[in-house]
Amino acid sequence: MSKEDSRHILVKTMQNALQSKGLHGVGLTEILKTAGLPKGSLYYHFPGGKEELALAAIANAEQEMTRFLEQMFARFDDPLEALAAWIDSALQRIAASRFKLGCPLAAAALDCSPDDTDLLLALNGAFATLRDLLTRQISRAGFPTEAAADLAVLVLTSYEGGLMMARAAGSTEPLERAFRALLSHVRLQQKEFANGH
């Protein structure tokens, strides 16, 4: 196994742990056991230990989500259809995991304390990247920039909150209801902007 492979395995293992157990719900021993790698491998790649590994996992999650959303928006002429398809895929993923996996960014954010400064900065940056991407794409649907930015934040908070509620309920219903209402509202707004209101 190459050094790059072992680094990637550690990052993905930590990312999965964030999704299922949060930042403080898993220890390094468990991460190494799941990854099937020795402790030396961890400290070779991440001399800062668990926090440095968590930062790498957050960065990887941000890149994966960004890439996925860009691909989704490239598939649809209507950005709002792309949003609906994104939520549909999220519903399928959380149901397939039997409601064990949420969003690694949200799970890490909920588990951080105010003292976890570097982690909070990284998470804020990741959410900002996603917000900016959504803002640009929603603007294509005829929304003014400020309204698109507001809507991007509403989409992200509905997504993250809906995932948490779906996990707690063991059902996709909370996320489905949130986005059914959101997309209905957004379509009405879209018509108003198209009519010059």
Side-chain angles (χ1 to χ4, degrees), residues 68-89 137 140-141 187:
F68 178 79
L69 283 171
E70 285 172 344
Q71 290 168 354
M72 195 64 73
F73 283 111
R75 280 179 45 205
F76 293 89
D77 291 332
D78 182 350
L80 301 184
E81 285 182 21
L83 282 179
W86 170 42
I87 299 310
D88 188 53
S89 74
Q137 294 297 337
R140 289 195 306 114
R187 288 289 185 199

Side-chain angles (χ1 to χ4, degrees), residues 14 26 60 79-80 97 103 110 160 167 176 182 184 192:
M14 184 64 181
V26 65
N60 195 67
L80 301 184
S97 77
C103 170
L110 286 170
E160 299 296 4
R167 224 178 143 183
E176 289 178 60
L182 178 63
S184 174
E192 287 179 11

Side-chain angles (χ1 to χ4, degrees), residues 51-194:
E51 181 172 330
E52 189 176 348
L53 176 57
L55 287 168
I58 289 165
N60 195 67
E62 175 187 349
Q63 289 165 7
E64 286 182 357
M65 288 180 76
T66 300
R67 195 163 46 243
F68 178 79
L69 283 171
E70 285 172 344
Q71 290 168 354
M72 195 64 73
F73 283 111
R75 280 179 45 205
F76 293 89
D77 291 332
D78 182 350
L80 301 184
E81 285 182 21
L83 282 179
W86 170 42
I87 299 310
D88 188 53
S89 74
L91 290 167
Q92 291 175 35
R93 280 196 314 276
I94 193 169
S97 77
R98 296 183 181 174
F99 303 94
K100 291 178 184 171
L101 299 179
C103 170
L105 300 178
L110 286 170
D111 219 7
C112 279
S113 77
D115 296 330
D116 294 320
T117 312
D118 290 342
L119 291 166
L120 289 170
L121 281 171
L123 288 161
N124 187 49
F127 284 125
T129 297
L130 296 170
R131 180 200 65 220
D132 292 347
L133 187 158
L134 289 173
T135 299
R136 287 192 306 275
Q137 294 297 337
I138 291 167
S139 293
R140 289 195 306 114
F143 287 79
T145 304
E146 196 62 26
D150 290 346
L151 185 52
V153 172
L154 182 58
V155 167
L156 275 177
T157 54
S158 297
Y159 172 73
E160 299 296 4
L163 280 178
M164 284 188 282
M165 289 179 70
R167 224 178 143 183
S171 165
T172 57
E173 184 185 15
L175 193 57
E176 289 178 60
R177 283 185 177 278
F179 272 88
R180 192 162 56 239
L182 178 63
L183 288 171
S184 174
H185 172 70
V186 169
R187 288 289 185 199
L188 288 173
Q189 268 198 312
Q190 187 183 34
K191 286 177 185 172
E192 287 179 11
F193 287 125

